Amino acid sequence: LVGAGPGSFDLITLRGLNALRSADVILFDALVEPDFLDHIKPEAIVHDVGKRKGANGKSQEDINVLILEMALKHGHVVRLKGGDPFVFGRGMEEWQHLAQFGIEVEYIPGVSSCISVPGLAGIPVTHRGSSESFWVITGTTRDGSLSPDVRLAAQTKATVVILMGVSKLSEIVEIFKANGHHDLPVAIIQNGSLPFSKCVVGTVKNIKDKTSKIGIESPAVIVLGSVVKQYSEKQILTSIEKNAVQLNGYE
Ligand SMILES: C[S@@+](CC[C@H](N)C(=O)[O-])C[C@H]1O[C@@H](n2cnc3c(N)ncnc32)[C@H](O)[C@@H]1O
């Protein structure tokens, strides 16, 4: 069970890379870039099990069955997942399924998008004197609704990082406004760590308009909190340039 990191292949861990190099079978998700194919055994079997926009991938149940089948038939299977397998990645569900059949599982952590995507855009999730904690929340729960935790987080001074939340931006903005946070800085970063990354920075008041002008799509991370303005625009731009992110001004 290997975390691939947020996108750019060189953000996988050394342990993850070693597992990939020796794998007999690799099953990968939609958020995993195909560069890993250059690092596997030529005879390795590769299954793309990702769900993408407009195309249905395999169901979780089918994936569980496929991993089990591959493990029994071929031995060393790498289940390669975007970010970290245990951060909204259903990693433990897969582990538990395999454990029932006596399959040995090793977890290899990945660099999660919740910290690294803001970081690569020059935004630290904590900063002394500015943010003492951060919440990582899903914008989309099992039944498709926004997590009620967003309401709780909006009552704190914590940095709030929302994954899978782009389609819920209006709801999120209303919750933060209802808590008096009209001027709270917000950043939304799409495809962090990748050459086609985009970033829009604003405040709770104007982020919706800015986002619709620029057209941000999933996968994207929403960061709300004073940490967004800790770095001057110049610093953000330098960081952005290095990481090939397109910045659309903080005001
Ligand atoms: C199913 S969750 C998986 C999260 C993953 N396990 C992790 O630790 O990053 C998918 C969500 O992660 C976020 N995400 C993952 N990679 C991203 C990236 N490179 N840039 C922006 N957001 C990303 C998006 O919010 C996306 O909708």
Side-chain angles (χ1 to χ4, degrees):
L1 203 50
V2 179
S8 180
F9 183 72
D10 56 359
L11 291 172
I12 195 169
T13 65
L14 200 48
R15 194 179 293 187
L17 182 60
N18 286 336
L20 259 183
R21 282 180 173 147
S22 56
D24 300 314
V25 183
I26 297 109
L27 287 88
F28 71 102
D29 277 352
L31 284 173
V32 174
E33 290 295 299
D35 307 26
F36 75 88
L37 292 167
D38 298 337
H39 302 268
I40 61 175
K41 293 197 290 196
E43 68 274 22
I45 300 164
V46 179
H47 286 280
D48 175 357
V49 295
K51 294 185 192 76
R52 285 174 189 78
K53 226 179 167 187
N56 278 337
K58 289 187 179 300
S59 70
Q60 188 61 50
E61 290 67 32
D62 288 347
I63 294 171
N64 290 352
V65 170
L66 186 62
I67 308 175
L68 178 64
E69 209 180 287
M70 292 294 115
L72 292 173
K73 234 194 226 168
H74 303 283
H76 178 13
V77 179
V78 160
R79 175 68 174 105
L80 192 59
K81 288 175 163 289
D84 183 275
F86 287 166
V87 179
F88 301 123
R90 305 187 72 170
M92 187 46 83
E93 289 173 46
E94 294 178 7
W95 185 329
Q96 285 168 341
H97 176 77
L98 294 165
Q100 283 176 50
F101 297 90
I103 305 288
E104 195 189 326
V105 179
E106 183 187 350
Y107 158 74
I108 301 184
V111 174
S112 179
S113 63
C114 63
I115 297 173
S116 62
V117 168
L120 288 166
I123 301 161
V125 287
T126 67
H127 184 68
R128 209 146 58 108
S130 170
S131 161
E132 288 155 9
S133 65
F134 59 99
W135 290 49
V136 181
I137 309 174
T138 177
T140 313
T141 56
R142 193 185 280 216
D143 66 6
S145 62
L146 182 72
S147 167
D149 291 355
V150 175
R151 274 176 217 288
L152 299 176
Q155 292 164 31
T156 73
K157 286 186 175 160
T159 302
V160 180
V161 181
I162 303 176
L163 304 191
M164 296 172 276
V166 178
S167 63
K168 302 283 190 333
L169 187 60
S170 306
E171 257 182 90
I172 294 166
V173 160
E174 288 314 313
I175 290 170
F176 278 81
K177 279 186 184 165
N179 284 278
H181 296 309
H182 294 73
D183 296 318
L184 189 70
V186 185
I188 309 182
I189 308 133
Q190 177 186 328
N191 288 314
S193 84
L194 294 166
F196 40 91
S197 185
K198 279 187 187 175
C199 176
V200 53
V201 188
T203 59
V204 165
K205 223 166 29 199
N206 64 21
I207 196 71
K208 248 189 70 189
D209 284 350
K210 285 187 145 196
T211 304
S212 43
K213 268 185 210 137
I214 287 146
I216 294 272
E217 285 179 6
S218 179
V221 166
I222 304 172
V223 193
L224 302 107
S226 55
V227 287
V228 174
K229 65 173 184 195
Q230 287 309 310
Y231 281 19
S232 71
E233 188 159 316
K234 190 163 171 263
Q235 278 169 307
I236 294 178
L237 277 167
T238 311
S239 169
I240 296 284
E241 228 167 71
K242 266 197 222 134
N243 297 292
V245 179
Q246 191 188 316
L247 178 79
N248 295 284
Y250 172 72
E251 277 156 26

